[in-house]
Amino acid sequence: MPTFKDYTMAQLQLPLSFEDFIPENHLVRVVNTVVECLDLKPLYDRYKEGGCPAYHPKMMLKVMIYSFSQKTYSSRQIAKSLRENINFMWIAGGNKPDFRTINRFRLDMKDVIEDVFYEVVKLLIEKKYIKLQNYFLDGTKIEANANKYTFVWNKAVGNYDRKLDEKIKNHLREIDRIVAEENEIYLEDDLEETGVNSRITTGQVEGVVKSIDKKLAKNPMDKKLKKKAKEFKKDILPRKQKYEEAFAIFEGRNSYSKTDHDATFMRMKEDAMLNGQLKPGYNVQIGTENRYIVGFTIHPNPTDTKTMIPHLKHLEKRLGRLPENIVADAGYGSEENYEYLEEKNLGSYVKYNKFHWEKKKKNRENPYLTDNLPYIAETDRFVCRNGKQLLHIGNRKYVTEAGYETRRDYYRCEDCTGCPYATECKNTDKNRTIMVSHRLNELKRKANANLCSKRGHKLRSQRVVEVEQVFGRIKGCWSFRRFHLRGADKVKIEWGLLAIAHNIAKMALEG
């Protein structure tokens, strides 16, 4: 007869504590230790006295952080783990909140998630894991939890709105002919006050409807006027309201999704069909040091250029100061960003878009490029290869969306007639004209000196390792490539939990 080890399911066995089954340096223990060290007053303040006792917020926070570190993002899956997974059962102290309670707690964190995250950052600073010395800034696009085909484009809505305005004006002219009272209903005076190209507002259309109703009260049998009144109420007014609501949602963006108004359509690196399809998403900006996430912000902008200043301002507001050096790629290299870094007296190691391009020998030695033309500062003019002077002919000021004012100067060659280098120098029969930003060139020279220094070369090499490793863990190892919640506030909760989980998981690895 074969022999087997004892198998008795009803037998009481030791140990009886869940803790005895968990290794000493397990991640769940580190999550427990870190959360116990945090000041969670903002989280506690959300609870009121009286009523049915709630699950302890500290326990709920531990469960949320640990679940995100285990690639468990669904509230139903978290609830399932609390019943079946010994690590979850231990950190929850045997509590088993259902998925509705878990989801409600997560959504209620929208006003405190950043407080909790920066408490963890302050703990990292206190424990000497980070020093706020070198701040590596980069962004990634994460797809929103929205339908890919529910797009609304600013340009299209603007075209529809202009066509509707023309339709309104034509109807009003026809109504004026019907009632034979010029300008009594037509809003010509209002349009002249706001400008010829201004849009007709919903309030103005409502005023037209009231005026038509008054006319119908005096002459209720006028069929033509009745038809116009019906069209204004059933078609024109609802469409005008719809367009104004869309313009309010855009807030300077080019697009939004009908199923997530805060999401903007942008190109993603994950392009399974290889057709460059735009998808609704968010631009997530993070800053790292020693591969810990020190700060994060969520933006609707597809490009990184306009995100640096808001991101650093938010970081300074939260931490009370900024890191010593800012390291970023060419997506952030703009005059406005360089000026901000110089104003804050920060070490600038931010590339500009032609940093690597101008290092190539063929571009560095090309005598026709604007950057290579000799400039005489005393007389404010350039000299071309043929010895001709490019004289200053004027300048133009530009104002960015953030209100930053910049200037571009224009220079034109005095005479290109008979120049032996004309075919290589320009593509037109007119005298060559160039545009120059002296301030931007000065800032780029400073940035280039920093980037080409020994320290700059080290930081440039380190940037790729720093930020991309964090994105690799979250998007690759933890398979987080699409948000599960909708709306900017809820998206911030998800990314905040991911950032906290990442930092604590790295602490666990470093011991």
Coordinates of all heavy atoms in Angstrom, one line a residue, residues 229-285:
A229 N -40.7 81.6 -36.0 CA -40.6 81.4 -34.5 C -40.3 79.9 -34.2 O -39.5 79.6 -33.3 CB -41.9 81.9 -33.9
K230 N -41.0 79.0 -34.9 CA -40.8 77.6 -34.6 C -39.4 77.1 -34.9 O -38.8 76.4 -34.2 CB -41.8 76.8 -35.5 CG -41.7 75.3 -35.2 CD -42.8 74.6 -36.0 CE -42.7 73.0 -35.8 NZ -43.7 72.3 -36.7
E231 N -38.9 77.7 -36.0 CA -37.5 77.3 -36.4 C -36.5 77.8 -35.4 O -35.5 77.1 -35.1 CB -37.2 77.8 -37.8 CG -35.8 77.3 -38.4 CD -35.6 77.6 -39.8 OE1 -36.6 78.2 -40.4 OE2 -34.6 77.2 -40.4
F232 N -36.7 79.0 -34.9 CA -35.7 79.6 -33.9 C -35.8 78.7 -32.6 O -34.7 78.4 -32.1 CB -36.1 81.0 -33.6 CG -35.3 82.0 -34.4 CD1 -35.8 82.5 -35.7 CD2 -34.1 82.5 -34.0 CE1 -35.1 83.4 -36.4 CE2 -33.4 83.4 -34.8 CZ -33.9 83.8 -36.0
K233 N -37.0 78.3 -32.2 CA -37.1 77.6 -30.9 C -36.7 76.2 -31.0 O -36.0 75.6 -30.1 CB -38.6 77.7 -30.4 CG -39.0 79.1 -30.1 CD -40.5 79.1 -29.7 CE -41.0 80.5 -29.3 NZ -42.4 80.5 -29.0
K234 N -37.0 75.5 -32.1 CA -36.8 74.1 -32.2 C -35.4 73.7 -32.8 O -34.9 72.7 -32.6 CB -37.8 73.4 -33.1 CG -39.3 73.6 -32.6 CD -39.5 72.8 -31.4 CE -40.9 72.8 -30.9 NZ -41.1 72.0 -29.7
D235 N -34.8 74.6 -33.6 CA -33.5 74.3 -34.3 C -32.4 75.3 -33.9 O -31.4 74.9 -33.4 CB -33.8 74.3 -35.8 CG -32.5 74.1 -36.5 OD1 -31.7 73.1 -36.1 OD2 -32.2 74.8 -37.5
I236 N -32.6 76.6 -34.2 CA -31.5 77.5 -34.1 C -31.0 77.7 -32.6 O -29.8 77.6 -32.3 CB -31.9 78.9 -34.7 CG1 -32.1 78.7 -36.2 CG2 -30.8 79.9 -34.4 CD1 -32.5 80.0 -36.9
L237 N -32.0 77.9 -31.7 CA -31.6 78.2 -30.3 C -30.9 77.0 -29.7 O -29.9 77.1 -29.0 CB -32.8 78.6 -29.5 CG -32.6 78.9 -28.0 CD1 -31.5 80.1 -27.9 CD2 -33.9 79.4 -27.3
P238 N -31.5 75.7 -29.8 CA -30.8 74.5 -29.3 C -29.4 74.3 -29.9 O -28.4 74.0 -29.1 CB -31.7 73.4 -29.6 CG -33.0 74.0 -29.8 CD -32.8 75.3 -30.4
R239 N -29.2 74.6 -31.1 CA -27.9 74.4 -31.7 C -26.9 75.5 -31.2 O -25.7 75.2 -30.9 CB -28.0 74.5 -33.3 CG -28.6 73.3 -33.9 CD -28.9 73.6 -35.4 NE -27.7 73.9 -36.1 CZ -27.7 74.4 -37.4 NH1 -28.9 74.6 -38.0 NH2 -26.6 74.7 -38.0
K240 N -27.4 76.7 -31.1 CA -26.5 77.8 -30.5 C -26.1 77.4 -29.1 O -24.9 77.6 -28.7 CB -27.3 79.1 -30.6 CG -26.5 80.3 -30.0 CD -25.2 80.5 -30.6 CE -25.3 81.0 -32.0 NZ -24.0 81.4 -32.6
Q241 N -27.0 76.9 -28.3 CA -26.7 76.5 -26.9 C -25.7 75.4 -26.9 O -24.7 75.3 -26.1 CB -27.9 76.1 -26.2 CG -28.9 77.2 -25.9 CD -30.2 76.8 -25.3 OE1 -30.6 75.6 -25.5 NE2 -31.0 77.7 -24.7
K242 N -25.8 74.4 -27.8 CA -24.9 73.3 -28.0 C -23.5 73.7 -28.3 O -22.5 73.3 -27.7 CB -25.4 72.3 -29.0 CG -24.6 71.1 -29.3 CD -25.1 70.3 -30.4 CE -24.2 69.1 -30.7 NZ -24.7 68.3 -31.9
Y243 N -23.4 74.7 -29.3 CA -22.1 75.2 -29.7 C -21.4 76.0 -28.5 O -20.2 75.8 -28.3 CB -22.2 76.0 -30.9 CG -22.7 75.3 -32.1 CD1 -23.4 76.0 -33.2 CD2 -22.5 73.9 -32.3 CE1 -23.8 75.3 -34.3 CE2 -22.9 73.3 -33.4 CZ -23.6 73.9 -34.4 OH -24.1 73.2 -35.5
E244 N -22.2 76.8 -27.8 CA -21.6 77.5 -26.7 C -21.1 76.6 -25.6 O -20.1 76.9 -25.0 CB -22.6 78.5 -26.2 CG -22.8 79.7 -27.1 CD -23.4 80.9 -26.4 OE1 -23.8 80.8 -25.2 OE2 -23.5 82.0 -27.0
E245 N -21.8 75.5 -25.3 CA -21.4 74.6 -24.3 C -20.1 73.9 -24.8 O -19.2 73.7 -24.0 CB -22.5 73.5 -24.1 CG -23.7 74.0 -23.4 CD -24.8 72.9 -23.4 OE1 -24.6 71.8 -23.9 OE2 -25.9 73.2 -22.8
A246 N -20.0 73.6 -26.1 CA -18.7 73.0 -26.6 C -17.5 74.0 -26.5 O -16.5 73.5 -26.0 CB -18.9 72.6 -28.1
F247 N -17.7 75.3 -26.8 CA -16.7 76.2 -26.6 C -16.2 76.3 -25.2 O -15.0 76.5 -24.9 CB -17.1 77.6 -27.2 CG -17.1 77.7 -28.7 CD1 -18.3 78.1 -29.3 CD2 -16.0 77.3 -29.4 CE1 -18.3 78.1 -30.7 CE2 -16.1 77.4 -30.8 CZ -17.2 77.8 -31.5
A248 N -17.2 76.2 -24.2 CA -16.8 76.3 -22.8 C -16.0 75.1 -22.4 O -15.1 75.2 -21.5 CB -18.1 76.4 -22.0
I249 N -16.3 73.9 -23.0 CA -15.5 72.7 -22.6 C -14.1 72.8 -23.2 O -13.1 72.3 -22.6 CB -16.3 71.5 -23.1 CG1 -17.6 71.3 -22.4 CG2 -15.4 70.2 -23.0 CD1 -18.5 70.2 -23.0
F250 N -13.9 73.3 -24.4 CA -12.6 73.3 -25.1 C -11.5 74.0 -24.2 O -10.5 73.5 -24.0 CB -12.7 74.1 -26.4 CG -13.3 73.3 -27.5 CD1 -14.4 73.7 -28.2 CD2 -12.8 72.0 -27.8 CE1 -14.9 73.0 -29.2 CE2 -13.3 71.3 -28.9 CZ -14.4 71.8 -29.6
E251 N -11.8 75.2 -23.6 CA -10.9 75.9 -22.8 C -9.5 76.0 -23.4 O -8.5 75.7 -22.8 CB -10.7 75.2 -21.4 CG -12.0 75.3 -20.6 CD -11.8 74.6 -19.2 OE1 -10.9 73.8 -19.1 OE2 -12.6 74.9 -18.3
G252 N -9.5 76.4 -24.7 CA -8.2 76.6 -25.4 C -7.7 75.4 -26.1 O -6.7 75.4 -26.8
R253 N -8.3 74.2 -25.9 CA -7.9 73.0 -26.5 C -8.4 72.8 -28.0 O -9.4 73.5 -28.3 CB -8.3 71.8 -25.7 CG -7.7 71.7 -24.3 CD -8.2 70.5 -23.6 NE -9.6 70.6 -23.3 CZ -10.4 69.5 -23.0 NH1 -9.9 68.3 -23.0 NH2 -11.7 69.7 -22.7
N254 N -7.9 71.9 -28.7 CA -8.3 71.7 -30.1 C -9.4 70.7 -30.2 O -10.1 70.6 -31.2 CB -7.2 71.3 -31.0 CG -6.2 72.4 -31.2 OD1 -6.5 73.5 -31.3 ND2 -4.9 72.0 -31.3
S255 N -9.6 69.8 -29.1 CA -10.5 68.8 -29.2 C -10.9 68.3 -27.8 O -10.2 68.6 -26.8 CB -10.0 67.6 -30.0 OG -8.8 67.1 -29.3
Y256 N -12.0 67.5 -27.7 CA -12.3 66.8 -26.4 C -13.2 65.6 -26.8 O -13.7 65.5 -27.9 CB -13.0 67.7 -25.4 CG -14.4 68.1 -25.8 CD1 -15.5 67.3 -25.5 CD2 -14.7 69.4 -26.4 CE1 -16.8 67.7 -25.8 CE2 -16.0 69.7 -26.7 CZ -17.0 68.9 -26.4 OH -18.3 69.3 -26.7
S257 N -13.3 64.7 -25.8 CA -14.1 63.5 -26.0 C -15.5 63.7 -25.4 O -15.6 64.3 -24.3 CB -13.4 62.3 -25.4 OG -14.3 61.2 -25.4
K258 N -16.5 63.2 -26.1 CA -17.9 63.3 -25.6 C -18.1 62.5 -24.3 O -18.9 62.8 -23.5 CB -18.9 62.9 -26.6 CG -19.0 63.8 -27.8 CD -20.0 63.2 -28.8 CE -20.0 64.1 -30.1 NZ -21.0 63.6 -31.1
T259 N -17.3 61.4 -24.1 CA -17.4 60.5 -23.0 C -16.5 60.9 -21.8 O -16.6 60.3 -20.8 CB -17.2 59.1 -23.4 OG1 -16.1 58.9 -24.2 CG2 -18.4 58.6 -24.2
D260 N -15.5 61.8 -22.1 CA -14.6 62.3 -21.1 C -14.2 63.7 -21.5 O -13.3 63.9 -22.3 CB -13.4 61.4 -20.8 CG -12.6 61.9 -19.7 OD1 -12.8 63.0 -19.1 OD2 -11.6 61.2 -19.3
H261 N -14.9 64.7 -21.1 CA -14.7 66.1 -21.5 C -13.3 66.6 -21.2 O -12.8 67.5 -21.9 CB -15.7 67.0 -21.0 CG -17.1 66.8 -21.5 ND1 -18.3 67.4 -21.0 CD2 -17.6 66.0 -22.5 CE1 -19.3 67.0 -21.7 NE2 -18.9 66.1 -22.6
D262 N -12.6 66.1 -20.2 CA -11.3 66.5 -19.9 C -10.2 65.9 -20.7 O -9.0 66.4 -20.7 CB -11.0 66.3 -18.4 CG -11.9 67.0 -17.5 OD1 -12.3 68.1 -17.8 OD2 -12.2 66.5 -16.4
A263 N -10.5 64.9 -21.5 CA -9.5 64.2 -22.3 C -9.4 64.9 -23.7 O -10.4 65.3 -24.3 CB -9.9 62.7 -22.5
T264 N -8.1 65.0 -24.1 CA -7.8 65.6 -25.4 C -7.3 64.6 -26.4 O -6.6 63.6 -26.0 CB -6.8 66.7 -25.3 OG1 -7.2 67.6 -24.3 CG2 -6.5 67.5 -26.6
F265 N -7.7 64.7 -27.7 CA -7.2 63.7 -28.7 C -5.8 64.0 -29.0 O -5.4 65.1 -29.4 CB -8.1 63.7 -29.9 CG -9.4 62.9 -29.7 CD1 -10.4 63.5 -29.0 CD2 -9.5 61.6 -30.2 CE1 -11.6 62.7 -28.8 CE2 -10.6 60.9 -30.0 CZ -11.7 61.4 -29.3
M266 N -4.9 63.0 -28.9 CA -3.5 63.2 -29.2 C -2.9 61.9 -29.7 O -3.5 60.8 -29.6 CB -2.8 63.6 -27.9 CG -3.0 62.7 -26.7 SD -2.3 63.4 -25.1 CE -3.4 64.7 -24.7
R267 N -1.7 61.9 -30.2 CA -1.1 60.7 -30.8 C -0.4 60.0 -29.6 O 0.3 60.6 -28.8 CB 0.0 61.1 -31.8 CG -0.6 61.8 -33.0 CD 0.4 61.9 -34.2 NE -0.2 62.8 -35.2 CZ -1.0 62.3 -36.1 NH1 -1.4 61.1 -36.1 NH2 -1.5 63.1 -37.1
M268 N -0.6 58.7 -29.7 CA 0.0 57.8 -28.6 C 1.2 57.0 -29.2 O 1.2 56.7 -30.4 CB -1.1 56.8 -28.1 CG -2.3 57.5 -27.6 SD -2.0 58.3 -26.0 CE -3.5 59.1 -25.6
K269 N 2.1 56.6 -28.4 CA 3.2 55.7 -28.8 C 2.6 54.3 -29.2 O 3.1 53.6 -30.0 CB 4.3 55.6 -27.8 CG 5.1 56.8 -27.7 CD 6.2 56.6 -26.7 CE 7.1 57.9 -26.6 NZ 8.2 57.7 -25.6
E270 N 1.6 53.9 -28.4 CA 1.0 52.6 -28.6 C 0.0 52.8 -29.8 O -1.1 53.2 -29.7 CB 0.2 52.1 -27.4 CG 1.1 51.8 -26.2 CD 1.5 53.0 -25.5 OE1 0.9 54.1 -25.6 OE2 2.5 52.9 -24.7
D271 N 0.4 52.4 -31.0 CA -0.4 52.5 -32.2 C -0.5 51.2 -32.9 O 0.3 50.9 -33.8 CB 0.3 53.6 -33.1 CG -0.6 53.9 -34.3 OD1 -1.8 53.5 -34.4 OD2 -0.1 54.6 -35.2
A272 N -1.4 50.3 -32.5 CA -1.5 49.0 -32.9 C -1.8 48.9 -34.4 O -1.3 48.0 -35.1 CB -2.6 48.2 -32.2
M273 N -2.6 49.9 -35.0 CA -2.9 49.8 -36.4 C -1.9 50.5 -37.3 O -2.0 50.5 -38.5 CB -4.3 50.5 -36.6 CG -5.4 49.8 -35.9 SD -5.7 48.1 -36.3 CE -6.2 48.3 -38.0
L274 N -0.9 51.2 -36.6 CA 0.2 51.9 -37.4 C -0.4 52.9 -38.4 O 0.2 53.1 -39.5 CB 1.1 50.9 -38.1 CG 1.8 49.8 -37.2 CD1 2.6 48.9 -38.1 CD2 2.7 50.5 -36.2
N275 N -1.4 53.6 -38.0 CA -2.0 54.6 -38.9 C -2.0 56.0 -38.2 O -2.6 56.9 -38.8 CB -3.5 54.2 -39.2 CG -4.4 54.0 -38.0 OD1 -3.9 54.2 -36.9 ND2 -5.6 53.7 -38.3
G276 N -1.3 56.2 -37.1 CA -1.2 57.5 -36.5 C -2.6 58.0 -36.0 O -2.8 59.2 -35.9
Q277 N -3.5 57.1 -35.6 CA -4.8 57.5 -35.1 C -4.7 58.3 -33.8 O -4.0 57.9 -32.9 CB -5.6 56.2 -34.9 CG -7.1 56.5 -34.5 CD -7.9 55.3 -34.2 OE1 -7.3 54.2 -34.0 NE2 -9.2 55.4 -34.2
L278 N -5.5 59.3 -33.7 CA -5.5 60.1 -32.5 C -6.5 59.4 -31.5 O -7.5 59.0 -31.9 CB -6.0 61.5 -32.8 CG -5.2 62.4 -33.8 CD1 -5.8 63.7 -34.0 CD2 -3.8 62.6 -33.2
K279 N -6.1 59.4 -30.3 CA -6.9 58.8 -29.2 C -7.1 59.8 -28.1 O -6.2 60.6 -27.8 CB -6.2 57.5 -28.7 CG -6.1 56.5 -29.8 CD -5.3 55.3 -29.2 CE -5.1 54.2 -30.2 NZ -4.4 53.0 -29.7
P280 N -8.2 59.7 -27.3 CA -8.4 60.6 -26.2 C -7.4 60.2 -25.1 O -7.3 59.0 -24.8 CB -9.8 60.4 -25.8 CG -10.1 59.0 -26.3 CD -9.3 58.8 -27.6
G281 N -6.7 61.2 -24.5 CA -5.8 60.8 -23.5 C -5.4 62.1 -22.6 O -5.9 63.2 -22.8
Y282 N -4.4 61.8 -21.7 CA -3.9 62.9 -20.9 C -2.4 62.8 -21.0 O -1.7 61.8 -21.1 CB -4.3 62.6 -19.4 CG -5.8 62.8 -19.1 CD1 -6.6 61.7 -19.3 CD2 -6.3 64.0 -18.8 CE1 -8.0 61.8 -19.0 CE2 -7.7 64.1 -18.6 CZ -8.5 63.0 -18.7 OH -9.8 63.1 -18.4
N283 N -1.8 64.0 -20.8 CA -0.3 64.2 -20.8 C 0.1 64.2 -19.3 O -0.1 65.2 -18.6 CB 0.1 65.5 -21.5 CG 1.6 65.6 -21.7 OD1 2.4 64.8 -21.2 ND2 2.0 66.5 -22.5
V284 N 0.8 63.1 -18.9 CA 1.2 63.0 -17.5 C 2.6 63.4 -17.4 O 3.5 62.9 -18.0 CB 1.0 61.5 -17.0 CG1 1.5 61.4 -15.6 CG2 -0.4 61.1 -17.2
Q285 N 2.9 64.4 -16.6 CA 4.2 65.0 -16.4 C 4.7 64.5 -15.0 O 4.0 64.7 -14.0 CB 4.3 66.5 -16.4 CG 3.9 67.0 -17.8 CD 5.0 66.8 -18.8 OE1 6.1 67.1 -18.6 NE2 4.5 66.3 -20.0

